[in-house]
Each structure stands twice: as C-alpha cells, then as structure tokens.
Amino acid sequence: MLLKILFWLAAMGIITAMAAYGPVVNFIAKIKRKHNTIRGLRKDYTYLPSVAVLVSAHNEEAVIEKKLLNLLITDYPKDLLEIVIMSDASTDNTISIVKKFIEDNKSDDKFKITLYEASEHKGKTNAQNEAVKKIDAEVIVMTDANSMFEKSAVKELVSCLCDSEVKYVTGTLAYANSQKAVTAANENTYWNMDLKIRKSESDIMTITAGNGAIYACRKADYYDFKPILCHDSAMPIKYALDGYRAVYNEKAVAYENAGETNEDEFKRKVRMNRGILYDICPDIRIFNIFKYKWFSLFYLCHRTLRYMLFINHLMVLCFSYILAIITDGPFWTFAAAAQLLFYAVAIYGTAFKSKNKIVSLITYYTQTIVAQAVGIYNQLTGKSKPFWEVSR
C-alpha cells in the first residue's frame, strides 16, 4: 500500500507541474479579470529615472558589437541612460572591441557607454554585484550580450517601476531561430506556455522567476546574492518574501537564439540546474500559505514540483516496476512498460537526431529530466560552478 501511495504522489507531482498547473492558474486569472479583482500591471511612461543598462559579457566577441548597436537605438532619453558593458574576465577580443566602439561613438547625441571589468572570473552574478556598486543610476536594466532588445524595451521595463510595490520587472524573451531548428522549436513551445503562466501569476500577485536576458530593478533594491545563485530565480523570491511584487511586462521584448542542437540545449539546462536542490525549497517561509497566499501555491506548483521532475520520474519508474513484480495487477506492468517505451523513444531521438515532432518533444522532455539529474549530481559533488562557457 505504501508503494502505491508513493507512486501516485510522485505521478501527481509530475501531472501537476507539467499539465494541470498552467490551465488552472490561467483560469484563475481569467476569472479574476472578469470580476475586476486582478492586481494587474500599472505603468507610467512619464516616469523617467536615470537608467544604466548593464550588459553581462564573458568572451562575447562574436556578438558584443551587434549588442552595442542594438542598444544605441533604445527609445529612452539619452541624457538619462548609460550603457555599461560588464566583462566577466573576458579572454578574447571582447574588451578591445568595446573600447574601440566607445572611442568611435563619442558624441553628445549618443548614449554614454562605459566598460567595467570584473576583478576575476567568478560568474555573472558576482560581476553584477561588483558593477552595480560603480553605477549611480536610479534603475538598473540587466541583459546579456547575445540578447537583442526592441527599442521600447527599456522604457517598458522602467514604466512598471513607477509602482512602489514592484521591486523587479522582467520582459518577454522570444527565440529568433524557433523556425530553423527542431531543438529551438521545442524550447520555444515550452517557453511560450511558461510565459502565459508567468503573465497569470503576475496579474494575480507576483511571479516565481524572471529571465536573465531582460529584467530591471531599482539600484536601492539591489541585493548581493551569492555567485552560485542567479537573479532569474533568486530576485523574485526575495522580493515576494519581503512583501513586494515581481512582475512580468510582456511588451518589454528581447530576442536571442535558443540552442540549435540537443547538445547545446542540454548544456544550458545543466547550467540552469546548478543549484537545483536549493531551488526546490530556497526558504521554508515560501510555503506559509497563510502569509504569502497565492505565491506559496505558485512556487509549489511552478517551481518546486518542476525542480522535482527527475526525482518524481525516478520514483514512478522504480515503484511501478517493483509493483509489477510483487503484484498480479496488469496496470503496473503496463505502467512500467509504457515508461520503458517512452525512454526508448528518447534514446532513439537522441541517437538519430530525429526531426519527428512527437519524437523530438519526448527527447526534449527527457533531456530536461536528465539535466536535472546531472545538476543534482554536480551539486552534491561540489562540481556546480557559477560560470560557464559561451555556446552558439
């Protein structure tokens, strides 16, 4: 009986995270909008504080000039905005390219551009912690070297910070190559579903995670996180626990390429899971539903259960096989066989790089589970690092 209970608990965890939570939270948001009880998003385009766009860059010689040119067309008052290139101990030509660009673009009718070099290669978060201390702007917009902004992106992000309850705002990351590569298309499908959930969370109360490609906060609200943590997950949690909001503005848009091969996408997912055991429950206060209300539910379903996918899949697999052996019930045999077939399809898709839509989706999902396993292993063995190498 205990094995059956554990099997169904794990199975329901998977179903809730990947199938049930999205429709439920979107339905709740729809009902609240209908009855005009939604928190929503308040924006004020006349709110124009000084802004520093902080671009994270480690060995980005291939894209850094394109990023600078992209930011030069930003629709924000030039006397109120500074572009800061933050080099995390780059060893390629990134720094020389930036210095030349600054020299070539010294003009009163262009944004001020400065270069900050981190003391040593300790990862994006550490470099951000260092660079923010050198910035005088009221608002800091964070982005990556390979993420290209729409010209209104900065103004859209900043407009949301007119609300004193809002401490963090993130935007939409769109994948520019989703029509060109199967792996990118799968990531785009998943990401679009996640953005819809994020909008519902934001409208109801607060989001559970942001995006490192496009987000902003006030300098006064910036917090020095440990280098192993990333702002995407750590900032929204901190502000929610402090009683404030982290919101999503779908009109603040950035573009970048998703991984075009399973290998690149797998490496990215492993990096994302470098602190997975911590992310399952970063602070026990999160689950105080009496105090944090919707946020507790959001984090449990959208984060905790998703970070537990590998653990829950492992439990479902093991318990179904054990129950198939010790009982005569055909259901357990079918459940065990179905999982074996599912993972066999994923192995086939990986080995032969199948472009079949169903096979590629199964491969992509299994890749996510395996990346979590690698992340857990790396964390337990001390191999998790706060930095990574650039992939194209």
Side-chain angles (χ1 to χ4, degrees), residues 41 43 156 170-172 199 248-253:
L41 195 64
K43 295 192 285 187
E156 284 290 342
T170 191
T172 298
K199 176 170 173 52
Y248 165 59
N249 182 355
E250 62 185 330
K251 292 187 177 181
V253 181

Side-chain angles (χ1 to χ4, degrees), residues 56-312:
S56 303
H58 172 69
N59 290 351
E60 296 285 4
E61 62 180 14
V63 296
I64 194 63
E65 185 174 7
K66 182 180 178 182
K67 177 66 175 182
L68 285 162
L69 289 169
N70 169 251
L71 290 175
L72 286 183
I73 63 170
T74 296
D75 182 16
Y76 201 82
K78 289 182 171 56
D79 60 327
L80 294 174
L81 188 140
E82 176 184 7
I83 299 168
V84 181
I85 304 300
M86 178 199 67
S87 171
D88 178 26
S90 295
T91 56
D92 65 353
N93 293 317
T94 298
I95 294 173
S96 60
I97 292 171
V98 173
K99 286 181 177 178
K100 184 178 186 303
F101 192 93
I102 292 173
E103 187 63 31
D104 293 344
N105 288 271
K106 284 183 177 179
S107 174
D108 292 338
D109 65 344
K110 292 184 179 179
F111 295 117
K112 178 184 177 183
I113 306 172
T114 57
L115 171 66
Y116 175 79
E117 299 181 55
S119 57
E120 56 183 304
H121 186 32
K122 291 184 178 179
K124 178 179 176 180
T125 301
N126 176 75
Q128 287 169 323
N129 290 342
E130 290 185 18
V132 167
K133 294 179 176 65
K134 307 292 184 180
I135 294 170
D136 295 324
E138 299 169 76
V139 169
I140 302 166
V141 172
M142 303 283 194
T143 183
D144 295 325
N146 64 324
S147 304
M148 303 300 154
F149 278 11
E150 285 193 351
K151 67 178 183 179
S152 62
V154 172
K155 186 175 286 186
E156 284 290 342
L157 291 171
V158 173
S159 70
C160 301
L161 293 172
C162 70
D163 187 341
S164 60
E165 276 194 305
V166 173
K167 299 293 185 181
Y168 172 99
V169 55
T170 191
T172 298
L173 176 63
Y175 290 116
N177 62 335
S178 62
Q179 302 299 318
K180 298 179 181 179
V182 174
T183 302
N186 290 333
E187 175 62 20
N188 191 61
T189 299
Y190 165 79
W191 184 236
N192 286 338
M193 292 170 57
D194 202 72
L195 287 179
K196 189 173 182 180
I197 294 172
R198 188 167 297 183
K199 176 170 173 52
S200 294
E201 291 177 345
S202 179
D203 283 349
I204 295 170
M205 187 177 183
T206 188
I207 59 176
T208 56
N211 188 287
I214 178 168
Y215 64 103
C217 68
R218 299 179 193 85
K219 182 184 177 182
D221 298 323
Y222 185 86
Y223 181 82
D224 277 16
F225 290 99
K226 295 178 180 179
I228 195 66
L229 300 178
C230 60
H231 289 166
D232 312 26
S233 56
M235 275 190 168
I237 296 169
K238 171 179 168 49
Y239 298 134
L241 293 178
D242 287 346
Y244 296 101
R245 297 179 69 199
V247 298
Y248 165 59
N249 182 355
E250 62 185 330
K251 292 187 177 181
V253 181
Y255 299 91
E256 68 178 45
N257 287 342
E260 295 193 356
T261 66
N262 285 334
E263 291 76 13
D264 272 350
E265 188 60 24
F266 181 74
K267 289 177 182 178
R268 187 180 74 88
K269 290 184 182 298
V270 170
R271 170 174 63 80
M272 290 170 60
N273 287 300
R274 65 183 184 270
I276 185 170
L277 294 176
Y278 170 84
D279 291 331
I280 289 173
C281 181
D283 193 310
I284 194 65
R285 292 178 296 165
I286 287 174
F287 303 115
N288 182 354
I289 194 168
F290 299 103
K291 182 174 182 179
Y292 297 107
K293 300 178 175 64
W294 287 112
F295 178 67
S296 296
L297 175 66
F298 294 167
Y299 198 88
L300 173 64
C301 298
H302 198 181
R303 297 299 154 196
T304 296
L305 291 180
R306 285 201 184 183
Y307 292 134
M308 290 182 64
L309 280 175
F310 166 72
I311 297 171
N312 282 332

